[in-house]
Amino acid sequence: MKMEVIPQERSWVELDLSAFSHNLDFLKRHLKPHQGFMQIVKADAYGHGAREIAELALKKGALYLGVANVEEGKLLRMQGVMAPILILSPSLNSEIPEIIEYNLEPGVSDWDFAMAFSKAAGKAKRKVHIKLDSGMHRSGLRVEGAGEIYKAIATLPNIVIESVFSHFASSESDPDFSFYQEAEFERFISSLSPLPKYIHISNSAACIKGYGAFANMVRFGIFSFGVNTTADGALSQALKPVMSFKSRISQIKRIKKGESIGYNRDWIAKKDGTYAVIPVGYADGYDFLLSNKGKALVNGILCNVIGRVSMDMITIDITAVADAQTGDIVSLLGAGAESIKAEKLTGLYKGSAYELLCQIGRRARRYYVDGASLLHSAPMSRRDFVADDFADGKLSEIISKALAQRLKSKEMGNLIYRDILRSFFANRDRDLHYRKDFIHEVSFLPSDTKGYYRVKTTLSYRKILDSERFIIACARSDEELRRYFIRRDVEYRWLLDEKLELDENSFHISAARVNGIELNCHIKQQPNSLEIHCSHLRLRELIGQELLFEIDTDTLYPQAMHQFSVFISELTQGVKIAFNYPQEIRVVQPVTVFSGKQKNPPISFEPGRIVVASSRHNWVFPLSGVVFSY
Ligand SMILES: *Cc1c(COP(=O)(O)O)cnc(C)c1O
């Protein structure tokens, strides 16, 4: 395989997605017209990368994805995979909340779990899949009594039985036992009425052998990865290995007849020769049992692993490779030669090809290729970056390190993290508040109170509701106002002229609504402020949702002030601020201080009205605002 970018690592895994597509096409030709397929992606898709395999399989028509446990399903969800996901193995009761949170579908093997799941499922109809033990005697309901338990589960509230499934114990090699299991499963299925949407029993081998033709879904695993676990030679020719494991020669040495190589002197040279040291051992997933047995491909020539597999090294006989050099690529598994296919290598020590795929390349980066061209590569860690995995302190460290790396400066990374990002959180880590579609109308009108304008304000914005109550504060000193800026439960603040009385005539709320619900407002008189406490019982069930807030006030403002300011106190997406003024004010000069992408929002002037509006999608940072001077 020629790649545009040839990896320079000590070892790497190549995953040929065109081979995976080819295998799926081949397998799909064996489906009956009424059958669809589930792609099995458990154990990180047998070491091939669950996300990449899932996405491609879905593109090629997979109806379902199969994982081993809630963690694997959760990771796929975090990676943006939306398709239905079945958890094949029985789950623990303690995993139920996450199964629900991530919309995963559990395989159910007993009544107790079904009951606990139904209880936790809430009102939404959650899908479950009943596993029947048709003879493998691992998980699943035993056949005797399964009918009653099935019926009882079917009547549980909040859940729907989406499928019934079973699993063959030896579909590769034992037709008699497979026919027996098939008959047990079919007998159980025929007793059900109504039937669930999906019935499935076959894995790769069972599908190829034609078992379970009555089912309408098949679960593809090992064959889709190009590994043939049956004795059928033709199948080996039809499937293409997806995973290849490669390394490089790190040293070439001579050995003399009678000398030994490696631990325990397990290999002794029968004649003089040349051998190579390869920087891969059992810690890289190259199985210890391949000691003195494994094969490797160097410059098109098959070589024997000689001596024991060490933790970090193996040695191969390259006497027959005339032109070998250090740095030459060595293929240890996968494409290139029959002898290095997973099923052949594991055949040498009666091991499992499934296991070898899962364990290989533990210290290797993955390179996804499409035939000859490199698609992308994935880091060594087998788990995608999931922020939840880390404690707060560790996460902060990761963020500042990532910034430093991007900016190529530790100092700038720290500055941005500590002084800029942290200020948004204002020491209330995680509790970042934001608003959207912020519209604030301020109208100055004539008033009966001499020396003051009557001011009507209307404010609307969207925000996630975090409490069933909030406060609107009217302060009579800057200091008092500042106190309300720090408080999180305050949605709107007004600074009242010191000479005015703190009463309803000076400041009152004409409307306070959340999603159209008229809130109950109670005034609390404080020594130097008015607090209007707004709440409604119905808000309790809306907590956590993004809702429309509307606050209208009626108040007074000194004419002699000659300027009026509007501040943005939270991170806000889309800001529109309008100032309406009477004819007697001739000229108004707006000065905008906007931080964010759009530093100079457009300003429009009409007679008696000025509008400052950022574009709807732009984010405006706190402490932005407009000062209107008149
Ligand atoms: C792993 C698994 C499969 C896939 O089997 P292959 O032999 O890899 O095709 C199918 N069904 C269940 C329940 C499994 O656990």
Side-chain angles (χ1 to χ4, degrees), residues 431-436 461-471 488-491 512-517 519 534-551 570:
D431 217 11
L432 184 62
H433 288 236
Y434 59 84
R435 295 174 174 185
K436 289 179 175 171
Y461 54 88
R462 302 187 155 275
K463 174 177 175 161
I464 292 173
L465 184 72
D466 61 5
S467 160
E468 66 209 62
R469 58 184 68 246
F470 62 78
I471 293 173
R488 269 286 137 108
D489 55 350
V490 181
E491 285 297 326
R513 286 184 294 268
V514 170
N515 258 27
I517 301 169
L519 306 182
C534 306
S535 64
H536 198 288
L537 272 180
R538 275 172 61 200
L539 294 189
R540 193 172 298 176
E541 51 205 60
L542 297 174
I543 288 174
Q545 297 180 30
E546 189 183 286
L547 307 174
L548 177 68
F549 286 65
E550 293 171 285
I551 298 167
E570 289 178 355

Side-chain angles (χ1 to χ4, degrees), residues 40 42 46 88 167 203-204 219-222 354:
I40 303 299
K42 65 190 183 208
Y46 301 25
L88 299 159
H167 193 42
N203 63 334
S204 302
R219 303 185 300 265
F220 290 148
I222 194 89
Y354 293 85

Side-chain angles (χ1 to χ4, degrees), residues 343-449:
E343 61 268 39
K344 288 283 155 46
L345 283 177
T346 50
L348 299 171
Y349 61 91
K350 295 196 169 57
S352 155
Y354 293 85
E355 185 189 30
L356 191 61
L357 294 180
C358 292
Q359 73 186 33
I360 211 85
R362 279 193 196 121
R363 293 200 282 215
R365 205 176 163 86
R366 287 176 178 160
Y367 287 83
Y368 287 90
V369 301
D370 179 1
S373 55
L374 177 69
L375 298 171
H376 65 273
S377 68
M380 270 184 228
S381 150
R382 286 292 172 259
R383 197 171 153 85
D384 233 36
F385 177 77
V386 176
D388 283 9
D389 285 355
F390 301 93
D392 277 1
K394 182 74 190 165
L395 194 58
S396 304
E397 189 187 318
I398 291 168
I399 297 170
S400 66
K401 279 200 177 135
L403 284 168
Q405 171 139 1
R406 259 295 156 87
L407 299 164
K408 297 196 169 60
S409 156
K410 205 172 161 190
E411 197 180 339
M412 288 306 289
N414 273 342
L415 173 78
I416 294 198
Y417 181 65
R418 290 225 186 87
D419 294 1
I420 302 181
L421 288 183
R422 286 293 294 249
S423 72
F424 280 140
F425 299 102
N427 299 326
R428 287 168 296 256
D429 242 344
R430 276 194 263 230
D431 217 11
L432 184 62
H433 288 236
Y434 59 84
R435 295 174 174 185
K436 289 179 175 171
D437 304 330
F438 180 95
I439 301 172
H440 196 17
E441 288 268 350
V442 178
S443 304
F444 276 27
L445 305 162
S447 85
D448 303 334
T449 314

Side-chain angles (χ1 to χ4, degrees), residues 103-153:
N103 194 22
L104 306 170
E105 302 174 22
V108 173
S109 290
D110 70 78
W111 165 248
D112 287 344
F113 180 86
M115 234 174 27
F117 189 73
S118 158
K119 221 185 223 166
K123 288 192 193 82
K125 287 269 178 203
R126 297 277 168 186
K127 290 172 182 166
V128 300
H129 302 254
I130 307 294
K131 174 86 182 281
L132 183 82
D133 174 5
S134 57
M136 180 160 173
H137 301 143
R138 203 176 51 182
S139 60
L141 299 171
R142 276 194 73 92
V143 170
E144 56 278 9
E148 273 85 77
I149 299 175
Y150 182 95
K151 267 190 216 129
I153 293 176

Side-chain angles (χ1 to χ4, degrees), residues 20-22 24-25 28 37 55-62:
F20 178 71
S21 284
H22 163 92
L24 268 191
D25 289 339
K28 279 161 71 180
F37 74 98
E55 281 171 358
L56 189 47
L58 290 167
K59 222 180 267 171
K60 295 190 74 71

